[in-house]
Amino acid sequence: MPTTPQTPRRPARPGRRMALVVVGVMLMSLATAATAQTAVGVPVTMNVGSVGTRSLTVTNFTGTEALTELPLVSGAPTNYRATVTDLDYLIDRDFDVVAEMGNLYPVTSTGDDPLAVDANSDDIIASGDVTLGLFQGLTATDVLADIQPTYLLSLATGLDCTTLLTATIGGLGLPALDVTNLLAALTDLCTAFDAAVTAGDPATELLGGLIEDLDLTGLIDEALGLVDGLTGTEPFTNPSYLGLGAADADATGAPAATMLTLMSADAPTDLAALTDLIAAINAQLTDLTGLDATDVIPADDIIQGLVNSGSATTAALGNEIAGLGNTLAQEAILNDLLDIVNGAIDLSVLDNLFGVYTAFPRITATAPNDTPAGAYAGTHTITLISQ
């Protein structure tokens, strides 16, 4: 996924909603010169939230589990993941994921729960001694478009329904009794089919029949304007006073906390510029044309879609096919009676995109040389901001 340098932005914009997603308690253990440095993990308080159709989660670096501890050793980087999952992307809705950091204060409690710190101690590790970078570039995965294929009820010229389906059923190799029962049902089935064709029903109302295999991962950055927020390593110059820093006397009148952007999505203002994305979607739709209907959507889904159709004639056809009770015959009949015909789509399909976008932050706290030995804890906050 290409990365584009971008100046980190302040997130406060009119009309943008914010969801505080993770407040992490970070603990650093400093040792005297006579002993090795160690890191002690403490629980991370996670308040998982979402903004609209987007949600943010923070996990360990491998992505295998939610972040439950974030131990630090002075000068050593610690990696984690921040992931946005979008269930219904709208082309004009931007988002940012930002991070802020509090000072690290001396720990005064003897156990991990509850954690207590001296928020007014003179011996702190300032947020400016904590830096954030990205271990690797931003990734977008599983970016898919749910696009409804169009089905046409039709037969090849010169054929009639009964003749075609009689030959089809006879060629399936079914037991004789099954063939007899299926052939007996063809009269009503073909009557329903002819009625639907006469009514001009295209049979597009196939509920639950969305395709989920149009993979747009390689093109989605064009539509989203998805970029890394950080282009290097930057310090948290001004501390946040959320979490453990709430009791710090310096919080009153303090400047706004430094917010470093982990990832951003700035949708283009010129939607007509998304020609490559639309062309890719249309090319994949074209590839569907000519496939058997049941190669694209399972027979049960197609039948249910027909049955639930708002057209009485289409619903009647669906009921007749459902009543056959033989999956092999149902699939063969659907493939005989339905052709996939897809016209070109436009930008409206981008209302049906979903995907997963992941940043890989690397955080490093470096204690000044004169910092007294001991355990220090602070709060690291990740926030999703979305229109």
Side-chain angles (χ1 to χ4, degrees), residues 217-248:
T217 302
L219 290 163
I220 197 61
D221 57 314
E222 179 187 11
L224 283 172
L226 193 65
V227 294
D228 290 322
L230 291 166
T231 56
T233 299
E234 299 183 37
F236 291 98
T237 304
N238 297 327
S240 163
Y241 291 99
L242 296 172
L244 294 175
D248 192 325

Side-chain angles (χ1 to χ4, degrees), residues 332-356:
I333 288 171
L334 288 171
N335 292 333
D336 277 347
L337 301 185
L338 292 175
D339 288 330
I340 303 174
V341 287
N342 290 303
I345 55 89
D346 56 29
L347 285 169
S348 64
V349 306
L350 296 179
D351 287 350
N352 298 317
L353 287 177
F354 61 98
V356 179

Side-chain angles (χ1 to χ4, degrees), residues 40-302:
V40 179
V42 296
V44 170
T45 302
M46 181 175 291
N47 301 306
V48 178
S50 63
V51 176
T53 62
R54 293 182 173 132
S55 61
L56 172 64
T57 56
V58 175
T59 65
N60 61 358
F61 179 68
T62 59
T64 55
E65 59 186 27
L67 199 63
T68 57
E69 61 181 16
L70 195 57
L72 298 178
V73 174
S74 181
T78 298
N79 305 320
Y80 62 90
R81 292 189 183 202
T83 299
V84 172
T85 300
D86 200 337
L87 299 180
D88 188 9
Y89 173 67
L90 300 178
I91 188 65
D92 59 351
R93 186 189 301 162
D94 301 343
F95 74 86
D96 300 278
V97 177
V98 297
E100 55 192 298
M101 183 68 213
N103 298 320
L104 291 108
Y105 304 100
V107 174
T108 57
S109 56
T110 56
D112 288 346
D113 187 20
L115 181 68
V117 298
D118 182 358
N120 291 293
S121 171
D122 291 331
D123 297 319
I124 65 170
I125 300 171
S127 66
D129 294 321
V130 183
T131 60
L132 193 70
L134 295 176
F135 176 76
Q136 64 184 59
L138 184 66
T139 66
T141 57
D142 298 326
V143 182
L144 306 174
D146 281 349
I147 299 179
Q148 178 76 59
T150 299
Y151 290 89
L152 183 67
L153 295 171
S154 64
L155 293 177
T157 303
L159 292 177
D160 66 86
C161 177
T162 302
T163 300
L164 174 64
L165 298 188
T166 296
T168 295
I169 290 172
L172 294 177
L174 297 171
L177 180 59
D178 289 348
V179 172
T180 299
N181 291 335
L182 290 168
L183 292 178
L186 288 186
T187 300
D188 289 342
L189 191 157
C190 286
T191 297
F193 173 77
D194 292 338
V197 171
T198 301
D201 291 346
T204 55
E205 300 178 41
L206 305 179
L207 301 184
L210 297 176
I211 302 174
E212 296 185 358
D213 61 355
L214 298 185
D215 188 351
L216 308 178
T217 302
L219 290 163
I220 197 61
D221 57 314
E222 179 187 11
L224 283 172
L226 193 65
V227 294
D228 290 322
L230 291 166
T231 56
T233 299
E234 299 183 37
F236 291 98
T237 304
N238 297 327
S240 163
Y241 291 99
L242 296 172
L244 294 175
D248 192 325
D250 291 339
T252 303
T258 298
M259 288 190 176
L260 302 180
T261 303
L262 302 181
M263 72 172 98
S264 295
D266 288 323
T269 56
D270 182 7
L271 300 185
L274 302 179
T275 53
D276 289 345
L277 179 64
I278 299 304
I281 295 174
N282 282 325
Q284 294 188 59
L285 283 174
T286 300
D287 290 342
L288 299 178
T289 303
L291 292 177
D292 285 340
T294 55
D295 286 340
V296 179
I297 294 179
D300 286 346
D301 289 348
I302 297 177

Side-chain angles (χ1 to χ4, degrees), residues 313-333:
T313 53
T314 299
L317 174 61
N319 284 317
E320 291 294 337
I321 297 174
L324 296 177
N326 185 294
T327 300
L328 188 61
Q330 289 170 330
E331 290 180 350
I333 288 171

